Structures are given as structure tokens and as C-alpha cells.
Amino acid sequence: MHVDDTSLIGEYLAKKSSSACFALVSRHQQSVFGMCYKILRNREEAEEAAQDVFIKCFDSLEKLRKPEKIKSWLLSIAYRTAIDYYRRRKPAMADVDLVPEPISSEGENPIKKLEKIQSKSLLQEVFDRMDKLDASILNLFYLEDMSVKEIAETLNQSESNIKIRLMRSRDYLRMKMEPIYLKELKV
Amino acid sequence: MNHLTTEQLLTLIDSYPTNTHYPMAIEHLRQCNDCLMKFRSFQILRADFKSMEIPEVPPGFATRVSAKVRERETLRMFSKPAFRIFRWTVACSIVITVSLLIFTLYENPITVPHIQIPAAGYYLTFAICLALIFVVDKSLSSLSK
């Protein structure tokens, strides 16, 4: 039976139920970890930051006015926490996990495969160098499928600012990627 | 012919293919290769972005976090005002019991036959009581940390 977030929060606040806590963490862990990872690009740091996010969340859960919006709330804490971690980071620390991305398209032409890997790693490289707010906006928009309004609420920004940043960052990424994409389109 | 703006293209992409509000934009794409290429680039970018890998959450993450939350919840309970009153009550009870025992020892020196306790001993007992309250309270509060 699917229990919604609001009931789980109610159960946790009323009984301090461990199972409700576990269910809430399990439900949102991937989004929170994903947000932290997109900013920090380091698994260990992202895990630590994600753990902090949940602890902060449960510490002040009773202050949450709209329990149905817990995901947005968690992601806003995740954004701030990850940014804090990023700023505190020692300069010598590795910024990027050097783990090759799996190739999903089996049986594809090896040259095409190689081009796809190159294109994805270039995209990753450009993305990593982007402003962290823009990167988070893109992350929420594409990976969490959030609307501009929801992103604005999550990141505590105005809707128009999110709209402009989203447009600019996508255009910036497209311009950087265009030589590869045009080649891909002409094949 | 005016090209489509980035904003128009992105609006089209975000709701494509359900978007029916921009028939003119779609018509333009059929005729303008530059805009079509830009449109297709945005489409590939979206697909690439959506397929960017995020590693899975480490195994046992939810269990570790729930354990930590439970631990913190217990600590919070210990530091609540109600528990502080309880702490002080326990500290005072222990101190009163100990001081009563000491006073009983003073009043009945039979139990310690060869030790003579001077009158100043009462002041000393009072000081010991204060110190005991402090020590007991500190040890109880350190239990909650």
C-alpha cells in the first residue's frame, strides 16, 4: 500500500516512528543525493552532505508548513548544504569522480559510440564548470522534472530569474555542444 | 524571414510534441534549416542531459540516516526542559541522601569510633554537597550528550 509523504510525516511527528523516518529517507534519498552529487561531483562528499540534509530535515520537520511539498523543501536544503560543502572544500580535493559512464546503446556502431562518449564527457565538463545555481536549476528542471515555479520555490529565487537563467544556461550549453551536435545531425 | 528566438525554441521543446500553441513556429521549422538545427541541438542536449549518470545512493544509506535521526531524537529528548528538571531532581535526591548519611555519621560517631569531627565539618559537608550537586548534574548531562 502506498502511503503518501503527508501521512508519513504525521506518523513520524506523532510517534517518532523509525519506520516512517526510514520510508521518507528511502523515498527521497536518490533526489537529495543526486542534487548533492551534481554540485559536489564526489560520492563520499555527496553522501555526507545528503546525510546532513536528512538530519536537518528531521530536526525541524515540525516547522514544515506544507508537508506535501517535502521534496521541494528537501531539495532546497540539499542545495544550500551542498553549496556550503563546496565552499568549504579544500582546494586540492578532486572535483570530479573519474568513473566512466556506462554506455546504454548496445550494438551501436563503435565510432558512433565513441562520439557519444566524447559528447557526453564534453557536456559533463562544461556542466561542471557552470555556475552552481545554474547547474542546480538544470538538474531540477531536467532530472527532477520540476516546473519553473517549483524550482523558484525550491531555490528561493524569483520565477523570472529562474526562467532567464534556465534559458541562458541551456543556450550556453547548446553553443558549447553545437559542433558535436551538428556533426551528429548531419550523419 | 525572421528566425525563431531561443525562448520560442525552448518553449516549443519543453512542451513538444503536445504543444499546439505554436503552429506558426512549427511551420517555420519546416522551412528554416538554421532554426531546425538549433531546435534539434536543444533536443539532443535535453536527451544527453537526462541520460547523464548519477551514481546510485550507497547501500544502507537510509538505514544509517534513520539510526542517526533516532540517536539525535533521543538526545533532544534528554535536553528538553522536562528532562533538565528530572536531572536536577535526581542530583538533589542523591546529594540529600549522601548528606543525610554524612550527618548520621557525625551524630553517631560509634560507627567511626576513633575519628573526631570538628564543628567546622558541617561547613565542609555543605561545600561537599554543593560539589556533589555539580558533579552529579554534570555527569547526568554528559550522559545526554
Side-chain angles (χ1 to χ4, degrees):
Chain A
M1 194 184 75
H2 179 82
V3 185
D4 63 8
D5 286 344
T6 312
S7 317
L8 286 172
I9 293 168
E11 193 185 327
Y12 177 78
L13 289 176
K15 304 178 203 159
K16 298 287 168 216
S17 149
S18 295
S19 58
C21 170
F22 181 81
L24 281 168
V25 176
S26 308
R27 192 171 289 177
H28 299 292
Q29 58 181 3
Q30 191 60 50
S31 301
V32 170
F33 179 75
M35 170 65 114
C36 296
Y37 183 79
K38 281 275 175 200
I39 293 173
L40 297 163
R41 303 290 302 156
N42 177 290
R43 282 167 211 247
E44 284 76 29
E45 257 194 312
E47 187 188 346
E48 212 179 300
Q51 189 166 307
D52 268 10
V53 171
F54 282 108
I55 287 170
K56 282 179 195 168
C57 158
F58 284 101
D59 273 357
S60 47
L61 198 57
E62 59 255 40
K63 289 179 197 157
L64 180 63
R65 284 187 204 151
K66 293 176 181 167
E68 67 280 5
K69 294 212 166 173
I70 189 172
K71 190 176 176 183
S72 293
W73 189 54
L74 273 170
L75 289 172
S76 70
I77 303 175
Y79 171 72
R80 288 196 301 270
T81 309
I83 290 288
D84 278 352
Y85 268 71
Y86 185 78
R87 285 180 186 149
R88 270 189 273 143
R89 179 186 274 176
K90 287 173 195 158
M93 189 156 184
D95 200 19
V96 175
D97 265 357
L98 293 171
V99 180
E101 287 187 2
I103 304 149
S104 54
S105 43
E106 279 173 36
E108 213 179 338
N109 176 348
I111 297 167
K112 260 193 158 184
K113 260 188 194 177
L114 190 70
E115 279 173 357
K116 202 77 205 157
I117 294 170
Q118 279 176 337
S119 136
K120 279 192 174 182
S121 48
L122 177 67
L123 178 61
Q124 188 70 69
E125 211 182 299
V126 178
F127 179 76
D128 287 339
R129 272 191 263 120
M130 280 176 79
D131 176 83
K132 294 298 167 196
L133 179 60
D134 289 340
S136 305
I137 293 171
L138 282 171
N139 181 41
L140 294 174
F141 187 75
Y142 279 134
L143 301 176
E144 297 298 332
D145 289 320
M146 279 187 166
S147 67
V148 170
K149 193 180 173 210
E150 285 171 318
I151 299 172
E153 279 172 11
T154 304
L155 300 178
N156 202 20
Q157 302 277 327
S158 69
E159 268 184 62
S160 54
N161 188 25
I162 297 291
K163 232 177 186 175
I164 291 168
R165 278 178 173 267
L166 192 56
M167 189 179 78
R168 281 188 193 156
S169 52
R170 286 197 286 179
D171 204 30
Y172 169 78
L173 281 177
R174 181 195 59 84
M175 281 194 288
K176 291 278 176 192
M177 298 301 293
E178 199 152 63
I180 294 177
Y181 288 167
L182 287 182
K183 217 165 110 189
E184 212 171 291
L185 285 168
K186 278 172 189 162
V187 172
Chain B
M1 183 169 53
N2 285 335
H3 288 299
L4 293 175
T5 62
T6 302
E7 195 178 357
Q8 283 172 317
L9 281 170
L10 286 171
T11 314
L12 202 60
I13 295 261
D14 293 341
S15 46
Y16 189 83
T18 52
N19 190 311
T20 50
H21 297 95
Y22 295 92
M24 277 173 75
I26 294 168
E27 192 50 45
H28 177 86
L29 285 182
R30 287 203 184 104
Q31 293 162 11
C32 176
N33 198 47
D34 287 349
C35 287
L36 184 67
M37 285 296 159
K38 206 170 162 185
F39 178 78
R40 292 261 185 261
S41 296
F42 275 128
Q43 276 187 320
I44 302 174
L45 176 70
R46 185 180 59 177
D48 276 359
F49 203 94
K50 279 186 175 279
S51 66
M52 262 161 82
E53 284 292 310
I54 293 178
E56 287 291 307
V57 177
F61 178 80
T63 315
R64 282 197 297 279
V65 172
S66 326
K68 198 117 190 168
V69 169
R70 207 170 36 241
E71 201 179 291
R72 284 179 68 87
E73 200 49 58
T74 316
L75 296 184
R76 279 174 79 189
M77 197 195 76
F78 270 79
S79 58
K80 276 181 181 170
F83 185 74
R84 250 179 272 145
I85 293 166
F86 168 75
R87 237 165 57 192
W88 272 94
T89 314
V90 172
C92 291
S93 324
I94 293 174
V95 167
I96 289 166
T97 314
V98 172
S99 39
L100 277 175
L101 274 172
I102 295 172
F103 278 118
T104 317
L105 263 175
Y106 287 160
E107 296 301 324
N108 307 291
I110 317 132
T111 46
V112 203
H114 303 295
I115 300 173
Q116 288 296 313
I117 299 164
Y122 288 107
Y123 295 106
L124 185 69
T125 312
F126 182 70
I128 291 171
C129 284
L130 281 179
L132 263 173
I133 289 183
F134 182 75
V135 169
V136 172
D137 183 60
K138 279 285 157 204
S139 22
L140 281 172
S141 72
S142 71
L143 264 180
S144 64
K145 279 176 191 162

